[in-house]
Amino acid sequence: MDLDLNVTLEDLEDPEDVVHPKEAQGDIEHVEAAAVEVHISGGNTGPSTETDVLTGITLSSDDSGGEDEVQSTPSSQPTVDKPYPGMMFDSWEQARVHYNRYAKHVGFSIKSSTSRNSSIDKEKDKCLFVCNKSGKNPDINRLEAPPVKLRNRAITVKTDCKARLRVKRRGKKWHVTMFIEEHNHPCVKKFSLKRFLRSHRGIPKEERDFIRLLHKVNLSAGRVMSIMAELYGKLANVPYVTKDVSNFMATLDVPETQQDMSLLLAEFDKVKKDDPQFFSKIDVDHDHRVRRIFWVDGPARAAYKIYSDCLSFDTTYMTNMYSMPFAPFIGINRYGQSIQLGCGFLKNERVEDFVWLFEAFLEAMDGLHPTNIITDQDGAMRSAISETFPDSCHRNCRWHIMQNFQPVLGNDMAKNEDLRREFNEIIDHSMTEDEFERRWAEMIIKHNVGDNTHLKDVYDLRSSFVPAYFRDRFFPFLQTTARSEGFNAVLKRYVRPHNSLVHFFRQYMKLQEKIEVAEDGNEFEMEEKTLRMWGEWPLEKQAIQVYTRPIYLRFRAEIRKVTSYNANLVEGHMFDVVPITGSVYGYGKRSYRVEANMQESTYTCECSKIKRDGLLCCHALRVMAQVGAVGYIPPHYILPRWQMPPDDIVTQKVDLPDVPSDRKLSIKERKLIRYGTLCNDFTDIAKVASESDKSKAVADKYMLALSNELKSMKLSEAAKRKAKQKKGGHVEDTSKGEFVGGNANQKRKNIEQTSNWDFVGDDGQGSASQQHNIRDPTVTKTKGRPGEKRKKSGLHIKSTKPMKCSGCGSENHTLASCPSKMSTAPEPTEINFFRNMV
């Protein structure tokens, strides 16, 4: 190949652009020795078609300038044309891509060094790309100590490498004016290590879009890398590392964190359009910073009217970037599942904060108070509940109380195992308040622990957590806030401590959708499938038909426990139900008294399971079997909340063609039907379009045209709607969220009427006009989640490892107070001498 060196040298504008003749001659000899023809065109900067067949698919990358190219398979590296003076490109970006591809083939990384703009057209006309090891590292020992502690980050070792490539614009082409090939350091030869070089760690654009999708479902960077490893075949083939994914995902949250509250309010408005019953309330301080938030969606408000008989409330931490405690209201549906009935964020956990939250909850639920509520042992929470829900039965979480007493009682219980067993037995299986009081007093006398102040503290709290005090209250299948704790555990798989509130809200709505889908799954199981009966009792067959599937399984467990008891007639209609052998799970070793009235079909057991859980207990069923009354379940023992709702009050889920003519679908239903149809159609197209790059390019072409046409159609409809609204006057411009026509008072009235959320300031009055001045909350200092990761004991007090004296081995004292250390010998005479001097 002939190169016009004279033209190249004449066009150089400064001594830096001069290429040594020997270097140029060496490049000419190299090019002439090449066995392949080099096509110098702007678009041909990659490997040949034959090379593509050998090396597989190449993925373009926009990282590090947006022009890198990373290979998906290491099986065969492409033959890359070595740059040479006179080589031409259509743009400096293409020159960088080619040099970076060459650098990966050789085993080094590149970076942009300097550039220059033309004095004529002010456009870039010269670029210099150098090896990443160019320059020198500063002498750390000679640097001044930084004013603040810096991160201990690794630094690239620079060797003042002179390898570089310079391109210059002449006309419409970019020419290589200098190329230095030699490096003064070893290059990376192992293919699996080349992906760690900085300029070759780009994430391709298509994969960045895919990572955005995975980020929306809150997958961690490690999980994302595992998915990409499956796509690439193995982790070593992925052309970037977990840190790159983590850094990219961090950039996705930056816009949300900068304007969090405005985005959150926009999400509220968006949800309000599809769900008119959506309710939200916000409280701000004097500086217009948010300090309290509450929201609840329409389906939850409707569900609360049915499931207001039991509520679990608790606060949790590390769910948002402001460290604001998250306070969900959790209910129990007809399937025994936990459901969300609203949630809030609080700046502090004081009485007034909980009062505000509970009042917002009542406002959303039309003033309907919960019948029963269970919370953790928090004084501010208890005071707020007694003030806001005066008629509700408030119960404390037994688990939290036991954990608080475990450190102080565990050692005492370790010394007296009989005391520990009796203590837990009294709390578990005392059926009445009088029985608890009597057995507790007997325990204190029997074990001589009347002076134990910790046991006295437990006794003082008895009315807030001991089951005997709540045996007639409806707390189905729970003694703790496990419903809230379980929901919090699930929620924290969707959110992270650094997430914004708008991100939290989106994940919250996804979790709400997941709960609705789970309900649909249970409903389908009820309609399409059945279970094998455990026995032959007719009432069990009735239970399958009337109860939901999860509730029937709990009822069937009671039927199985019937075989663990004998029923003995005491007198009249009184029966003693006695365990046959040992202990029965959930009921202990004790016997139970059941009163049967066959005429009225009532069976009253002292365990009160029918009142506590809404199901007949195994003791009542045992007496029913004894008297031959197992033909059916008495109707007054079948709670409607555990049944499937009648067909006449259930909205039928039908397809569009089957919708009756007299029934109109809601906006949300029509949107979901159209969305599902389009998703199925586009999925079929995507399967064909993903077969090759050519078919994908065709799909991209028509998708772009479709997108443009839909945008223009939307703008046209908005313009027509706006023109139509102007004729009516004083109407809302839905395209921009503003109001057209009318005076300022009319605008303010319209805003107040159409506001999708309730703004409350320090004075407690609504002020929707201040919505644009609302500011993000500040970071809250809260008690937070405990740092201890060790698993703790459950509902019972357990014995801890007794403290022993390391000197004599006694459990009655420690080494500090060991009698063996106390000497009885007389004091030395020297001590007496100095004492006499004093």
Side-chain angles (χ1 to χ4, degrees), residues 74-338:
S75 56
S76 176
Q77 298 188 46
T79 302
V80 182
D81 300 330
K82 182 167 64 174
Y84 55 89
M87 198 174 190
M88 293 185 295
F89 301 95
D90 282 345
S91 63
W92 67 268
E93 293 92 345
Q94 289 185 356
R96 187 187 186 283
V97 169
H98 185 84
Y99 188 45
N100 193 52
R101 188 186 300 121
Y102 165 78
K104 184 172 184 179
H105 178 74
V106 175
F108 67 97
S109 177
I110 70 169
K111 62 182 179 180
S112 298
S113 178
T114 58
S115 63
R116 185 183 67 184
N117 293 339
S118 172
S119 59
I120 300 176
D121 56 7
K122 307 301 181 183
E123 297 291 335
K124 186 179 295 186
D125 67 347
K126 188 174 72 171
C127 291
L128 178 65
F129 309 110
V130 299
C131 174
N132 197 40
K133 290 182 177 292
S134 65
K136 298 180 180 180
N137 294 111
D139 190 352
I140 301 179
N141 297 325
R142 295 184 179 182
L143 295 178
E144 295 183 359
V148 294
K149 184 178 180 180
L150 301 178
R151 295 174 59 184
N152 188 17
R153 308 181 67 172
I155 302 174
T156 301
V157 178
K158 297 181 179 181
T159 62
D160 199 18
C161 180
K162 300 300 182 182
R164 60 194 59 209
L165 174 77
R166 185 171 60 228
V167 293
K168 189 172 182 181
R169 177 165 58 94
R170 295 194 182 93
K172 296 183 178 180
K173 296 290 183 179
W174 286 76
H175 296 247
V176 176
T177 60
M178 181 177 65
F179 171 62
I180 300 178
E181 179 182 2
E182 294 78 13
H183 296 265
N184 62 358
H185 58 87
C187 295
V188 178
K189 299 300 181 184
K190 191 175 181 180
F191 182 85
S192 60
L193 300 182
K194 293 181 180 180
R195 72 189 188 99
F196 295 103
L197 294 170
R198 188 182 182 90
S199 65
H200 310 304
R201 280 168 53 174
I203 303 178
K205 180 180 181 302
E206 295 82 1
E207 296 179 32
R208 290 207 303 271
D209 295 338
F210 184 54
I211 293 174
R212 285 191 182 95
L213 181 64
L214 299 179
H215 180 64
K216 289 182 179 180
V217 295
N218 206 46
L219 286 185
S220 62
R223 297 289 297 277
V224 171
M225 283 297 293
S226 299
I227 295 175
M228 303 312 299
E230 291 294 325
L231 298 177
Y232 275 90
K234 59 181 181 179
L235 188 61
N237 294 345
V238 183
Y240 42 87
V241 295
T242 305
K243 187 61 178 178
D244 299 325
V245 176
S246 177
N247 291 340
F248 172 69
M249 294 172 68
T251 62
L252 301 179
D253 296 328
V254 171
E256 295 181 354
T257 59
Q258 292 177 347
Q259 45 183 348
D260 191 13
M261 291 313 304
S262 59
L263 291 176
L264 179 62
L265 297 180
E267 286 292 325
F268 285 172
D269 291 339
K270 182 179 178 181
V271 173
K272 183 74 172 179
K273 292 179 181 178
D274 294 331
D275 182 10
Q277 295 301 315
F278 179 84
F279 177 90
S280 61
K281 192 170 185 178
I282 298 177
D283 178 49
V284 300
D285 58 15
H286 65 281
D287 199 25
H288 297 288
R289 289 191 178 275
V290 172
R291 59 183 179 185
R292 304 172 186 130
I293 305 176
F294 172 79
W295 73 74
V296 57
D297 58 291
R301 297 177 69 182
Y304 179 74
K305 296 178 181 179
I306 305 173
Y307 307 123
S308 62
D309 46 14
C310 184
L311 206 63
S312 178
F313 179 79
D314 192 16
T315 56
T316 186
Y317 304 87
M318 301 183 71
T319 62
N320 59 90
M321 58 188 293
Y322 309 106
S323 299
M324 296 178 70
F326 171 62
F329 294 85
I330 305 299
I332 304 173
N333 65 5
R334 58 173 48 92
Y335 303 103
Q337 298 172 328
S338 299

Side-chain angles (χ1 to χ4, degrees), residues 401-415 423 452-458 797-800 803:
I401 293 178
M402 290 294 101
Q403 293 314 303
N404 291 337
F405 283 105
Q406 176 66 36
V408 294
L409 283 177
N411 191 42
D412 294 336
M413 298 299 180
K415 300 176 182 178
F423 174 86
N452 191 315
T453 58
H454 303 305
L455 285 176
K456 185 178 183 303
D457 293 338
V458 175
I797 292 294
K798 297 184 178 180
S799 59
T800 58
M803 299 175 60

Side-chain angles (χ1 to χ4, degrees), residues 719-733 740-741:
K720 292 179 181 179
R721 185 166 57 250
K722 185 175 181 180
K724 184 178 179 180
Q725 291 170 346
K726 283 184 178 180
K727 295 180 181 180
H730 308 303
V731 292
E732 182 182 356
D733 180 7
V740 182

